[in-house]
Amino acid sequence: MKIYANQIATTLKDGLAPCYLLFGDEPFQINDCRLQIKQAAKQQGVEEFIRLSDDDQFEWDELIDHCQSMSLFSSTKLIELELTTGKMPKAGSDAIKQITEQLSAETSLVIFGPKLESSQTRAAWFKGLDKVGIYIPVYDIDGNHLQRWLKDQLAKHKMQMSYEAQVYLLEYTAGNLLACAQELEKISMALNSSNITLTDVEKLVADQSRYSVFQLIDQLWAGNAKQCINIIERLKLEELEPNIILWALQKDVVLIQQLNQALNYKLDTKSILDSHKVWKNKQALYLNQAKRIPTHILNAAVHQLSQIDQGIKFHTLPCPYSMFAHVCLMLTGATDLANVKLPLDLDLELN
């Protein structure tokens, strides 16, 4: 059965499942689900908890032994297994096939790790566990979902926070739920007041934003010019390798340029999407961008990215991050700012 992370508490009220599959690239939610499962297990009398990890020393027979042996301390036990790469070797697949039918209310298994590819969720080991257990795919949270998540966290802490304070907290811990949760813990301990204001949060919150190049791309195609600049500023402060940003931008911009040309000449776009291995749920996004962005802007962006590539290779760019900001301004439609003299002032206020 498939559920989402925010449904785990309700599901646990019906008792422990034989197996839980937690996979995704958002560590806070995975850890939060694990803690809720362990807490529910304790409430149901489980006293033995075993933690395993598929490191270089791990033997899959160890998992089989733990699943087959009686608990030393109670009639039930909970076994956690971390897949550090998300990949399942043949030995692991064989072991899980052997133990799947042995899982029960007496022995629950929690397997967690990074996001699984679709091919992995079709594998025999996954299907076998999915039939007897619960699959919880964990996704990054943004937008309205992020605001709802924060409200849930505030409710858990029995805290009331002004809307302005919530916006501030989310902005300064964007992309890092763990940092946001830690700041809430700090605020909760520092303030007795249940009505927390923006001033309170500004005094207490440390700037722990963690952005990734993938968030930059998401904000770029959402047309959020200001957020693009904020993220690039963060990536610069974190000294993210410029080649990583260049790769991500070039990959998407070249694809959209090719789609734009195909649409202009009424050519097939499916072959382009297939050649770039674009997932079906992303295809409409790229086609919409190809229709939205003028051809001359796309051509200029591709040309500028090529210049950045040359500049990085020959060490002739004083600040490639400013050039990335320039490209993003062009592509988001902030053409009135596209000719701003470089390097850009990254504190620039955009309308």
Side-chain angles (χ1 to χ4, degrees):
M1 179 175 71
K2 178 179 177 180
I3 66 171
Y4 296 101
N6 61 354
Q7 298 173 308
I8 183 68
T10 302
T11 304
L12 286 169
K13 292 178 181 178
D14 298 326
L16 283 181
C19 178
Y20 293 91
L21 299 162
L22 288 163
F23 290 97
D25 293 328
E26 209 302 299
F28 175 85
Q29 293 181 83
I30 288 181
N31 189 58
D32 186 54
C33 287
R34 287 177 52 225
L35 291 176
Q36 290 188 61
I37 294 169
K38 291 179 75 172
Q39 183 62 35
K42 289 179 180 179
Q43 292 173 354
Q44 295 177 41
V46 177
E47 297 178 357
E48 185 173 5
F49 296 88
I50 300 166
R51 171 72 183 273
L52 305 172
S53 178
D54 67 338
D55 56 25
D56 294 339
Q57 308 300 318
F58 180 67
E59 297 288 344
W60 285 94
D61 286 343
E62 185 179 355
L63 175 64
I64 296 174
D65 292 341
H66 281 300
C67 290
Q68 291 179 339
S69 63
M70 296 293 291
S71 173
L72 297 175
F73 306 105
S74 66
S75 60
T76 56
K77 60 184 169 182
L78 181 73
I79 303 169
E80 288 187 320
L81 171 63
E82 180 181 10
L83 298 183
T84 54
T85 64
K87 296 180 180 179
M88 181 65 68
K90 185 179 185 303
S93 181
D94 292 342
I96 287 178
K97 182 178 179 182
Q98 182 175 338
I99 67 173
T100 296
E101 295 180 359
Q102 300 169 355
L103 296 174
S104 64
E106 286 72 36
T107 302
S108 290
L109 175 64
V110 178
I111 302 181
F112 65 98
K115 180 181 176 182
L116 295 178
E117 301 293 338
S118 57
S119 60
Q120 293 169 295
T121 61
R122 295 194 297 268
W125 70 269
F126 183 93
K127 287 185 175 181
L129 290 176
D130 189 30
K131 285 181 181 178
V132 300
I134 294 176
Y135 173 39
I136 309 174
V138 176
Y139 303 104
D140 287 332
I141 297 178
D142 55 18
N144 293 332
H145 297 291
L146 185 58
Q147 293 176 346
R148 284 196 291 270
W149 174 85
L150 178 56
K151 288 180 179 179
D152 289 341
Q153 297 301 309
L154 289 169
K156 287 181 181 179
H157 288 279
K158 298 180 180 179
M159 296 164 62
Q160 292 182 347
M161 183 179 289
S162 71
Y163 175 76
E164 293 79 8
Q166 291 181 42
V167 171
Y168 181 92
L169 182 60
L170 291 176
E171 179 179 348
Y172 280 90
T173 57
N176 192 335
L177 299 188
L178 179 59
C180 188
Q182 290 173 339
E183 293 296 345
L184 285 175
E185 290 282 354
K186 184 167 67 177
I187 293 169
S188 178
M189 289 187 291
L191 299 175
N192 295 322
S193 172
S194 60
N195 187 17
I196 298 166
T197 67
L198 174 60
T199 302
D200 294 328
V201 175
E202 286 178 332
K203 290 179 180 177
L204 291 168
V205 170
D207 188 352
Q208 298 187 45
S209 300
R210 175 181 62 82
Y211 290 100
S212 73
V213 69
F214 302 107
Q215 289 172 288
L216 172 62
I217 297 300
D218 288 343
Q219 294 300 319
L220 174 60
W221 302 136
N224 297 329
K226 182 176 181 179
Q227 188 68 348
C228 285
I229 303 303
N230 290 338
I231 293 174
I232 290 173
E233 181 181 20
R234 299 284 176 179
L235 296 178
K236 179 182 179 182
L237 290 173
E238 294 170 8
E239 298 183 346
L240 181 71
E241 176 61 44
N243 275 316
I244 296 175
I245 305 174
L246 177 65
W247 168 82
L249 287 171
Q250 276 187 322
K251 180 172 67 70
D252 271 22
V253 176
V254 168
L255 165 61
I256 293 170
Q257 182 196 41
Q258 292 177 359
L259 291 172
N260 176 272
Q261 292 173 347
L263 291 170
N264 287 342
Y265 291 99
K266 295 182 172 53
L267 301 176
D268 176 49
T269 57
K270 184 178 183 303
S271 59
I272 298 173
L273 293 167
D274 290 344
S275 66
H276 285 265
K277 298 180 180 179
V278 179
W279 287 16
K280 288 185 178 180
N281 63 344
K282 290 283 189 179
Q283 292 181 3
L285 168 68
Y286 289 117
L287 285 169
N288 288 337
Q289 296 302 321
K291 296 173 183 176
R292 180 187 68 82
I293 304 174
T295 301
H296 72 280
I297 293 292
L298 286 169
N299 292 341
V302 170
H303 176 69
Q304 188 155 333
L305 288 170
S306 178
Q307 288 185 317
I308 296 172
D309 188 17
Q310 292 296 312
I312 292 175
K313 287 177 179 176
F314 294 100
H315 306 285
T316 58
L317 280 183
C319 182
Y321 303 95
S322 292
M323 298 289 285
F324 293 138
H326 196 168
V327 171
C328 289
L329 290 174
M330 294 169 60
L331 293 170
T332 53
T335 52
D336 56 323
L337 296 172
N339 292 320
V340 172
K341 184 178 179 181
L342 297 175
L344 283 173
D345 177 1
L346 292 181
D347 292 325
L348 182 66
E349 289 292 333
L350 302 179
N351 295 324

